[in-house]
Amino acid sequence: MSDRRLARFAATSARVVAGAAVAGAAVVGTVVAIAAPWPQYRAEPVSIQATPAPGDTVLACDGPVLALGRSADAANGLSAAAAQQIVSGPAASEAETTALTGATGDSSGEAEALRAAPRDRVQTPLAAAGSSTVVSDDLIGFSASACRPPLAESWLVGGATTTGANDLVVLANPGSVPATVQLSVYGAQGLSSPPSGQNIVVAAGQRRVVPLAGLLLGEESPVVRVESAGAPVHASLQASLTRLLLPGGSDQVAPLAEADTRLVMPGVQVLTTGEGQAGTVLRLLSPASDTTASVTLTPVDAATAAPAPVEIPLTAGLPTSYDLSGLAAGVYTVDVSAGAPIVGATWSTTGFGEGADFAWYAPAPETTTGSVVAVAPGAGSSVVLAGGDADAAVTLTPVEGGTPVSTTVAAGTTVSVPVDAAVYRLETSAPVRAAVTYSGDGALAAYPLWPADAAASALTILP
């Protein structure tokens, strides 16, 4: 091979070897780059913290006790049997009061709605409650209830549609636009959607009354679910009872805002066991799933022995009643816990003879901060406080002036504080649940205390 050809061969070989080395280095570099952590960049979205302006404080009252079919020529007609005495405050002078019409053919059946505009971008505190006493040949009893904000969904636990019961579902719309309401009833056959409970239009500023028996007849333990579209409504249940042509009491039953895994009913009065009759009954419903409810009863009187807790199996969609009549007479807190959301209430009566009255005790939500509460006029009125996991120092201060009442509620105990009819500021150092109860000669009533709406929290807005 000539020197020139040898030189060309050597140069070509050198270029091939160099190219292979470069290619190999590129492959190695790529593999290393893939294996090595890549630089990361995370863009934080622009956000703005904004607190929505508070709305008006709106409350709807249950109004007078209503009587159905008192006139022979109007068997389905409604009339007012007893007016409602209302206590409201502390902004009563600033609140606008309007009438909720439509329950009866005249103005005697009107109920009150209260509205207070916010002050200095803070929601105006407002509380109201009312009571009624009716004594007649066909209707008797003492009723007390709190005026409530309207809700898009609520539950009514109470009443019956058996012989002697004459119960009414009352729907009130304190808003400015019509509401369309659907009523579903849970009974012995499960959930039903009766035609008479569908697409009920409640005009703005009006009330509609639906007989409970018209929804599902022959039910001993019904539970009604109320759902509203277009505008929220305040739903309540007026229950009355007749035994052997003798009136056996009446009550205005408070709604439940939602199903929960824990229900606490402070201040249940156990007054009689009766002869073979249930004088105190707990009604429970698990709407969606089978579960077991654990029931604990705590007496107010420390000298009364607390009964052993009981376990009650619940079948989804079927109301269950449990007889508590074996308890010693006294005042108790009924505490129910379950593995699934439930609704419930406790019924108690003063007796089964002439002049008897009864009450439904609805669960009370937890109060954690200061709130305004109203105590309606009535004999034997008390605020019953059920303690939580920590000791609570509670003070009730009349907003119109007066002597504050203070007490300590030890964890897991219940305290009853006698009070007069007034509006109070309730302040507590730890969470408690509270109810207003009444107990007198032939008079029994109660309603839970709901905390005032909390101030609107800041919202995160993402443009």
Side-chain angles (χ1 to χ4, degrees):
M1 179 180 297
S2 65
D3 293 341
R4 181 176 294 178
R5 292 179 63 188
L6 183 61
R8 284 201 301 269
F9 177 77
T12 300
S13 300
R15 286 197 298 271
V16 170
V17 171
V22 170
V27 171
V28 171
T30 301
V31 172
V32 172
I34 293 175
W38 285 63
Q40 295 183 352
Y41 174 74
R42 176 177 298 175
E44 294 293 337
V46 178
S47 63
I48 302 173
Q49 293 290 318
T51 300
D56 293 351
T57 302
V58 180
L59 303 176
C61 302
D62 287 346
V65 175
L66 301 174
L68 177 64
R70 278 188 159 180
S71 174
D73 56 353
N76 294 323
L78 285 166
S79 59
Q84 187 178 47
Q85 294 180 278
I86 293 179
V87 170
S88 63
S93 60
E94 304 175 28
E96 176 190 359
T97 301
T98 58
L100 297 169
T101 63
T104 60
D106 56 22
S107 61
S108 65
E110 293 178 351
E112 286 190 11
L114 297 90
R115 180 185 297 270
R119 295 179 298 191
D120 301 326
R121 294 184 59 83
V122 176
Q123 193 169 40
T124 301
L126 182 64
S131 59
S132 306
T133 300
V134 58
V135 180
S136 62
D137 293 337
D138 62 336
L139 192 59
I140 196 172
F142 173 76
S143 302
S145 60
C147 304
R148 299 294 189 200
L151 301 170
E153 179 181 354
S154 55
W155 297 81
L156 298 174
V157 182
T161 60
T162 50
T163 302
N166 197 5
D167 301 342
L168 306 170
V169 176
V170 183
L171 307 170
N173 178 8
S176 57
V177 297
T180 302
V181 179
Q182 317 294 334
L183 300 178
S184 305
V185 185
Y186 293 82
Q189 303 303 316
L191 175 63
S192 65
S193 300
S196 58
Q198 304 306 297
N199 300 319
I200 302 171
V201 177
V202 186
Q206 292 197 0
R207 300 202 297 165
R208 290 286 302 272
V209 180
V210 180
L212 186 58
L215 298 174
L216 199 62
L217 189 62
E219 285 294 333
E220 293 185 352
S221 304
V223 174
V224 180
R225 183 180 184 181
V226 183
E227 298 172 284
S228 179
V233 298
H234 167 58
S236 62
L237 177 69
Q238 181 184 301
S240 60
L241 182 63
T242 301
R243 300 185 184 95
L244 300 176
L245 302 181
L246 293 176
S250 60
D251 195 23
Q252 290 173 320
V253 185
L256 283 71
E258 60 183 357
D260 201 348
T261 55
R262 187 183 181 196
L263 309 176
V264 179
M265 292 152 261
V268 175
Q269 299 270 353
V270 178
L271 301 173
T272 180
T273 58
E275 288 294 334
Q277 295 177 297
T280 305
V281 178
L282 172 64
R283 182 180 300 179
L284 297 172
L285 167 71
S286 176
S289 59
D290 295 351
T291 189
T292 298
S294 178
V295 181
T296 302
L297 295 105
T298 303
V300 172
D301 186 355
T304 302
V310 295
E311 303 288 322
I312 304 176
L314 302 178
T315 302
L318 298 180
T320 298
S321 293
Y322 184 80
D323 185 5
L324 299 175
S325 300
L327 299 175
V331 180
Y332 294 81
T333 289
V334 179
D335 192 333
V336 186
S337 298
I342 58 175
V343 295
T346 302
W347 176 88
S348 190
T349 183
T350 62
F352 300 92
E354 186 175 0
D357 195 17
F358 65 82
W360 281 96
Y361 298 83
E366 197 172 65
T367 296
T368 58
T369 58
S371 183
V372 290
V373 298
V375 177
S381 55
S382 298
V383 171
V384 181
L385 303 158
D389 296 331
D391 296 351
V394 180
T395 301
L396 291 163
T397 304
V399 299
E400 296 295 336
T403 304
V405 179
S406 298
T407 188
T408 299
V409 185
T413 66
T414 299
V415 174
S416 181
V417 180
V419 291
D420 297 324
V423 175
Y424 296 84
R425 296 189 187 277
L426 189 156
E427 297 175 330
T428 178
S429 63
V432 295
R433 299 174 191 259
V436 178
T437 66
Y438 303 82
S439 181
D441 185 16
L444 201 63
Y447 56 87
L449 293 178
W450 291 6
D453 291 341
S457 57
L459 300 177
T460 301
I461 301 175
L462 303 177

